[in-house]
């Protein structure tokens, strides 16, 4: 086969080389009949291709053919890499391709519901363009989601989902290195795990069932089955009633469960090392992605450091954010853990504090003042588990096999659950979780 060059690897090192590229026609501009500029985009990277009528380059017919190609069509281009003296605006690559051959592989419809170039602009760029009297359509969130595959082609989205892939990859790598076993847990379950309201009910062969609200019960049962340290990566379903910037009806849960020897701080220690290592790695490995995201959605890099804070009382979204600001001012970090939550605000399986039963051996982890992780030591005594569940209005018949698992000798254990989309949203300082879910499911959206 022929040798293909990626648009992302078109740099001045290839000066004067002949290259063959395939990408999308993002923008086409004719200058008279003898010249045209074509911006070709491949996976978020763009290069300016120049068509000039000349004996060793292209014919006038070729220029006409090129200018008729509809935006977002796939094109193959053969040409020579040149380095222009001045910076190229509107392209990620700072070289040009002098076209010798152009071929349209597959055409896009002439009218598109979203102009990808417009969808890729930052708020500041939009404001400037509008002031300059440019014709431009601001692409709103719903339109982006309705025509998601077009929106996904923007450099920022190309960066977001590549970064998200790295988050789950780094999560997995770190835990495998620390002797954790990856397990799969059922998503069709008989009972709820996090409390009754936010659950999708369904019928399972005439028996009432629901979509798993978390792998909570089964990851604990794997501990009772002697796996010692386990983790799960998979879908989690919550029938959220309210429409917020940070709740989805289906999200990706990164869940961990482990035996503990003496104290639930052993679990917090894993969280701390896992996330500090993850964030360092993301900053190193995903520079291009972070740059592309930051260009459309400017954000400041996360400040990390290790500190412990001990609060009293529950928090709401507003107080979480206020606390986030205070912690940043006082401790210089935007990544922190709060622990010893009041027992009353935690799920039934949470271990009460041995010194004061009003509190619990639990914690939440925050980035920029918003929760990304919940975790705790669990109750491993079946009688206590049963009475806690009953007290919180859970029908113990629906979780009988879970409670029974603790009757045959269960080790002290704890764990935590992370929302993948939340981590990416807050790491990048994005304002809405729909920006980090490829095909989001929320109370109003089941499509595309
Ligand atoms: P999250 O906190 O993100 O909801 P969670 O499932 O652990 O995750 P809780 O721990 O019950 O939820 O909620 C923590 C705080 O988040 C609550 O005190 C509340 O202020 C806020 N919150 C939770 N659910 C909603 C919601 N549906 N709409 C707005 N705020 C919410
Ligand atoms: P919790 O309910 O706090 O804990 O969920 C764990 C983490 O999942 C994320 N999350 C969500 N993300 C998007 N949309 C939602 N509707 C949503 N709800 C939660 C958050 C949250 O921190 N079983 C426990 C975990 C454990 O103790 O191991 C649990 O599910 O990032």
């Amino acid at each position: 086969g022929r040798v293909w060059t990626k648009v992302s690897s078109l740099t001045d090192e290839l000066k004067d080389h002949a290259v063959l590229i395939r990408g999308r026609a993002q923008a086409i501009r004719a200058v008279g009949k003898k010249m045209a500029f074509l911006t070709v985009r491949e996976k978020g990277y763009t290069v300016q291709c120049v068509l000039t009528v000349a004996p060793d380059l292209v014919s006038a017919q070729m220029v006409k053919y090129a200018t008729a190609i509809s935006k977002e069509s796939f094109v193959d281009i053969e040409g020579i890499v040149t380095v222009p003296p001045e910076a190229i605006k509107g392209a990620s690559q700072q070289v040009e391709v002098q076209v010798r051959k152009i071929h349209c592989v597959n055409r896009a419809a002439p009218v598109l519901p979203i102009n990808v170039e417009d969808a890729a602009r930052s708020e500041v760029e939009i404001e400037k363009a509008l002031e300059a009297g440019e014709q431009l359509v601001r692409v709103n969130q719903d339109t982006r989601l309705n025509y998601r595959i077009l929106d996904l082609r923007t450099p920022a989205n190309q960066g977001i989902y590549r970064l998200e892939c790295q988050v789950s990859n780094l999560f997995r790598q770190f835990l495998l290195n620390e002797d954790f076993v990856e397990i799969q847990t059922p998503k069709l379950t008989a009972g709820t795990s996090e409390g009754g309201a936010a659950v999708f009910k369904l019928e399972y062969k005439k028996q009432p069932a629901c979509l798993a609200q978390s792998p909570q019960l089964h990851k604990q049962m794997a501990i009772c089955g002697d796996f010692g340290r386990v983790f799960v990566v998979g879908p989690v379903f919550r029938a959220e009633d309210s429409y917020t910037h940070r709740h989805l009806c289906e999200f990706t849960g990164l869940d961990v469960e482990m035996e503990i020897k003496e104290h639930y701080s052993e679990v917090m220690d894993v969280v701390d090392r896992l996330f500090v290592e993850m964030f360092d790695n993301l900053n190193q490995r995903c520079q291009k992605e972070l740059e592309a995201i930051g260009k459309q959605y400017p954000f400041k890099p996360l400040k990390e450091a290790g500190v412990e804070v001990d609060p009293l009382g529950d928090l709401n979204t507003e107080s979480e954010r206020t606390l986030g600001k205070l912690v940043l001012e006082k401790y210089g970090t935007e990544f922190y853990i709060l622990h010893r939550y009041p027992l009353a605000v935690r799920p039934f399986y949470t271990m009460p504090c041995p010194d004061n039963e009003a509190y619990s051996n639990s914690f939440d982890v925050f980035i920029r003042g918003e929760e990304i992780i919940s975790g705790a030591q669990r109750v491993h005594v079946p009688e206590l588990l049963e009475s806690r569940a009953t007290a919180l209005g859970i029908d113990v018949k629906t979780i009988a096999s879970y409670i029974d698992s603790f009757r045959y000798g269960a080790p002290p254990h704890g764990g935590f659950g992370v929302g993948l989309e939340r981590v990416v949203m807050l790491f990048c300082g994005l304002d809405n979780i729909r920006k980090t879910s490829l095909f989001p499911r929320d109370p109003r959206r089941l499509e595309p």
Side-chain angles (χ1 to χ4, degrees), residues 130-370:
L130 290 175
E131 262 172 44
E134 219 180 296
Q135 268 212 329
L136 173 140
V137 183
R138 199 187 240 108
V139 190
N140 70 29
Q141 179 88 276
D142 263 338
T143 309
R144 287 177 192 273
L145 296 179
N146 289 341
Y147 302 99
R148 190 58 161 158
I149 61 131
L150 282 169
D151 183 41
L152 289 175
R153 296 178 189 174
T154 60
N157 274 333
Q158 289 291 310
I160 287 171
Y161 295 97
R162 285 178 162 80
L163 185 85
E164 196 156 287
C165 166
Q166 280 303 313
V167 172
S168 52
N169 181 30
L170 291 164
F171 175 84
R172 182 174 271 124
Q173 285 307 322
F174 179 93
L175 293 169
L176 290 174
N177 279 336
E178 301 233 345
D179 270 349
F180 282 81
V181 180
E182 180 166 11
I183 58 165
Q184 312 296 335
T185 54
K187 309 307 168 202
L188 290 169
T189 57
T192 72
S193 57
E194 310 300 325
V199 60
F200 285 106
K201 296 197 171 131
L202 58 99
E203 202 189 86
Y204 186 82
K205 301 283 174 197
K206 301 217 163 87
Q207 181 188 330
C210 55
L211 291 176
Q213 276 178 309
S214 76
Q216 185 63 36
L217 308 187
H218 293 94
K219 69 178 179 173
Q220 283 188 258
M221 288 163 83
I223 297 298
C224 294
D226 271 356
F227 283 95
R229 317 182 104 190
V230 298
F231 71 96
V232 192
V233 177
V236 170
F237 303 93
R238 305 273 168 104
E240 298 287 351
D241 280 332
S242 46
Y243 186 87
T244 80
H245 75 284
R246 65 175 193 184
H247 291 92
L248 293 168
C249 291
E250 177 175 350
F251 65 94
T252 306
L254 308 175
D255 270 80
V256 169
E257 202 65 24
M258 59 189 263
E259 287 182 14
I260 60 184
K261 295 284 190 268
E262 285 163 26
H263 198 269
Y264 71 101
S265 61
E266 292 159 37
V267 182
M268 295 199 289
D269 177 61
V270 171
V271 171
D272 191 34
R273 288 184 301 108
L274 165 61
F275 279 87
V276 169
E277 186 172 315
M278 181 190 287
F279 295 156
D280 286 348
N281 263 295
L282 290 177
N283 284 325
Q284 281 166 24
R285 287 194 207 175
C286 298
Q287 282 172 11
K288 283 195 164 171
E289 287 77 7
L290 289 167
E291 201 182 299
I293 300 164
K295 247 184 124 185
Q296 183 169 352
Y297 305 112
F299 67 95
K300 292 205 186 109
L302 196 67
K303 288 191 183 163
E304 316 158 17
V307 275
E308 273 190 37
V309 188
D310 216 333
L312 297 163
D314 195 15
L315 299 164
N316 59 30
T317 307
E318 230 10 79
S319 52
E320 280 176 6
R321 283 196 174 145
T322 309
L323 183 69
K325 280 196 195 124
L326 290 174
V327 172
L328 177 62
E329 280 166 22
K330 187 158 178 206
Y331 299 100
T333 180
E334 289 179 292
F335 170 62
Y336 52 91
I337 301 181
L338 303 180
H339 70 122
R340 267 176 81 86
Y341 272 75
L343 185 64
V345 304
R346 304 300 284 205
F348 76 98
Y349 50 75
T350 311
M351 183 67 102
C353 277
D355 57 352
N356 184 343
E357 298 221 328
Y359 295 94
S360 63
N361 283 358
S362 66
F363 60 90
D364 276 1
V365 181
F366 294 80
I367 298 184
R368 303 182 200 268
E370 291 194 62

